[in-house]
Amino acid sequence: PHLMFYILTRPDCVWCDKAKQLLEEKGEAYTASSITDNPLFIRLMLKADLRTVPQIWNGSEYIGGYTHLEEYLNAN
C-alpha cells in the first residue's frame, strides 16, 4: 500500500516538476518542500551525501530521484 510521497525540490527544477506530474498522473498523494524553504534541508542533504533534487520518499521508505520513482511506480 502506498503512503504519502514526500519530495524535496528546488525552484526551476525540471526533474522535480516531472516527478510531481508523474505522481499526479498515477493518482498518488504527495507533499513537496523546496530546499530553499529551510536551510536545514540543505544541511541534511549534504550530511546524507545527497547532491541532487528531487529526493523522494514514500512514507519512511527512501525512493531516490526521478528515475528511481519511475521504476518504483512501475514495479508496484
Side-chain angles (χ1 to χ4, degrees):
H2 288 180
L3 306 165
M4 167 78 75
F5 283 88
Y6 184 76
I7 310 173
L8 275 180
T9 68
R10 68 171 168 76
D12 302 318
C13 167
V14 171
W15 294 106
C16 301
D17 293 341
K18 285 179 179 270
K20 291 185 269 189
Q21 183 179 359
L22 180 61
L23 288 170
E24 288 168 12
E25 287 171 3
K26 299 281 189 177
E28 297 290 349
Y30 71 88
T31 300
S33 296
S34 174
I35 60 173
T36 59
D37 290 345
N38 186 331
L40 183 60
F41 290 150
I42 294 173
R43 295 211 319 260
L44 289 171
M45 282 183 64
L46 293 174
K47 189 85 169 155
D49 203 30
L50 302 173
R51 306 272 183 224
T52 60
V53 287
Q55 293 295 327
I56 306 163
W57 289 261
N58 183 16
S60 61
E61 179 183 2
Y62 178 65
I63 307 298
Y66 174 81
T67 54
H68 302 109
L69 175 65
E70 248 185 342
E71 293 165 4
Y72 180 85
L73 290 173
N74 289 334
N76 291 302

